[in-house]
Amino acid sequence: MAQQHLDPTDPTAGALTGDALAGYLRAQATEFLRALRLHRETGGGASNGTEESVDAARALRRSARRISASLHTFRPLLEPDWSEAIRPELAWLSGTLALEHAYAARLDRLLLALHRLSGAPVLPTQLPTPDVRGAAAGGGTAGVTVGARPDGSRTSGHPTPGHNDAATGERATTAAGSRAGAAAGSRVARAAHVPKGAVPGSAGSPASPAPAPDRGNLTVGAAKAGALLDRQLTLARTRAHSSALQALGSSRFHAVADSIAVLASEVPLTTAAATTDLRPLAAAAEERLTDAVAALPLVTAGHPYNAEALIHGLSPDPAPHPQDAPWHQVRLLLRLHRYAREVLHGDTDAVDVRLLAAGQSLNRHRDASEAAAAAAQAARTPRIAPATAYALGVLHADQRHEVEAARFAFQQSWQRRTVGTP
């Protein structure tokens, strides 16, 4: 059913000037400072951040994104020097804090897909053995050992990707597959609470207890592929956590926090902001979104199983998939449009189901695209076994199919036209 929503360009609505923008920015700055205080009080600087500190970091990112987006959309009403100086800093902060969560979510997504593609239950009944419990837990970077192998042994320096895959002999291969299957199974058990935006076709759910025929552990290729992804993405997550800690303790971050503290009490508006209407600037943000969507191949995306997302799948170029960039840009423009609506309407804005569904589809598109890139990167590891490379290739194709499904879902949601009442 189509959803009615307010038109930002409605001439009958009350005047919205720079005062509304100033109130929104002050509110978001206050939320930023509150989240920062909560992050420090809950031990956010420790290596094993609590759930409260994770929520506080998420609130920091949320406020930083909204402030930065508002400074971009309504920049003619703000002092240009101040606005252009702080906006890149907010983008840096938000991106730095998001990396650790992104790597963890990507690993869980890929391990879930490996189990689904292998026909294994979503919730494996086998519990992790003591020697892999620390590596499989992944519930905080305190349990992460840089350079740890799936069997719990240590290496000096950074782990060598593909080291276990180079091992020969039936006994070593079987043992490695069993240990990797246990580690991957533990991670999938932790990731069982699939988010609401999970892609359709994901195997099983906690609400459907009837399991598929148990095929035991993952196949050797899939298990070793999971172990390889676990090593690479866990190491990346550990480095992202360290980078976030360094960023939060740096003078650069303290300068950003000082600017936000000033913003909470005084917004540097131009002299003309008091009489300038915000709605034309918000309408311009919506127009940029509409133009970007019009440039997308929505006709092709409207046909299921068109295999468009698999093009360039065998390209040797390790750069991001070229056809995904326009979709990522639309996702950013949709976010700017949503935040502009928040400035105009605040908490009174009705939920636009069309925009909400479109945003969820584009989030799924980004997650699947980045997961496919991670699988392709792992497949480029030297000296991996053919079975491991095959499993990673199947995983990459599966995630590219998820990219295609997300594009189809976006096309379906975007074509729902909003209607007004006479």
Side-chain angles (χ1 to χ4, degrees):
M1 178 180 295
Q3 178 76 20
Q4 180 184 2
H5 68 277
L6 299 176
D7 184 3
T9 61
D10 183 5
T12 63
L16 291 170
T17 61
D19 292 337
L21 174 62
Y24 180 83
L25 289 175
R26 282 194 295 266
Q28 294 302 323
T30 302
E31 290 295 326
F32 181 94
L33 297 175
R34 182 181 295 113
L36 178 59
R37 182 175 63 254
L38 179 62
H39 188 268
R40 290 171 176 170
E41 291 175 352
T42 55
S47 60
N48 54 344
T50 62
E51 182 178 354
E52 290 80 5
S53 67
V54 173
D55 293 339
R58 186 179 295 112
L60 276 174
R61 300 201 319 265
R62 179 181 182 276
S63 300
R65 287 197 308 264
R66 280 164 168 76
I67 295 174
S68 178
S70 300
L71 297 183
H72 175 79
T73 302
F74 302 102
R75 60 183 178 274
L77 305 182
L78 298 156
E79 291 185 2
D81 294 339
W82 175 86
S83 175
E84 294 302 323
I86 192 175
R87 198 156 52 87
E89 298 302 294
L90 290 171
W92 159 77
L93 176 61
S94 178
T96 302
L97 295 180
L99 279 179
E100 181 183 1
H101 171 74
Y103 283 124
R106 195 172 307 155
L107 178 58
D108 288 339
R109 179 188 183 93
L110 289 171
L111 294 182
L112 279 168
L114 276 176
H115 274 75
R116 171 168 51 84
L117 295 170
S118 300
V122 176
L123 292 175
T125 56
Q126 179 179 0
L127 296 176
T129 54
D131 59 337
V132 298
R133 190 180 303 272
T141 52
V144 175
T145 303
V146 178
R149 297 177 180 171
D151 59 356
S153 60
R154 294 177 179 267
T155 60
S156 58
H158 298 295
T160 303
H163 175 80
N164 291 337
D165 295 313
T168 57
E170 181 178 1
R171 182 181 306 173
T173 303
T174 304
S178 176
R179 289 191 297 267
S186 177
R187 278 196 178 273
V188 173
R190 291 189 301 100
H193 55 286
V194 181
K196 294 181 180 179
V199 294
S202 297
S205 67
S208 53
D214 189 1
R215 300 184 184 181
N217 293 332
L218 296 175
T219 60
V220 172
K224 298 177 77 174
L228 179 59
L229 290 168
D230 197 321
R231 289 197 301 273
Q232 292 184 349
L233 292 178
T234 298
L235 178 59
R237 179 188 177 187
T238 305
R239 291 173 174 171
H241 182 79
S242 300
S243 298
L245 293 181
Q246 293 176 1
L248 292 176
S250 65
S251 58
R252 183 179 182 182
F253 171 75
H254 288 297
V256 174
D258 291 341
S259 299
I260 298 300
V262 173
L263 182 64
S265 58
E266 180 182 358
V267 179
L269 297 174
T270 61
T271 55
T275 57
T276 303
D277 195 350
L278 301 180
R279 288 171 295 181
L281 296 174
E286 184 177 9
E287 184 178 357
R288 288 191 293 269
L289 169 63
T290 303
D291 293 342
V293 172
L296 294 177
L298 291 184
V299 175
T300 302
H303 297 281
Y305 307 106
N306 56 71
E308 184 73 16
L310 296 176
I311 298 177
H312 305 297
L314 296 178
S315 172
D317 188 4
H321 215 282
Q323 61 176 267
D324 294 344
W327 296 85
H328 296 333
Q329 180 65 17
V330 168
R331 174 179 168 272
L332 296 178
L333 292 175
L334 178 60
R335 176 182 290 176
L336 291 176
H337 173 52
R338 284 179 43 236
Y339 295 162
R341 288 172 58 91
E342 289 184 8
V343 174
L344 295 182
H345 308 295
D347 297 335
T348 63
D349 189 18
V351 176
D352 193 323
V353 178
R354 176 171 173 256
L355 292 181
L356 181 63
Q360 291 174 346
S361 300
L362 292 175
N363 287 338
R364 286 170 41 202
H365 179 276
R366 177 205 57 185
D367 294 342
S369 173
E370 293 177 349
Q377 182 64 30
R380 295 187 182 95
T381 303
R383 301 185 304 279
I384 60 175
T388 306
Y390 175 78
L392 290 170
V394 172
L395 183 61
H396 175 268
D398 172 75
Q399 292 303 302
R400 293 307 302 176
H401 277 299
E402 298 290 358
V403 167
E404 180 183 311
R407 293 177 182 177
F408 176 77
F410 173 81
Q411 190 269 350
Q412 295 294 303
S413 61
W414 189 259
Q415 295 301 326
R416 297 195 188 105
R417 296 298 180 185
T418 57
V419 297
T421 57

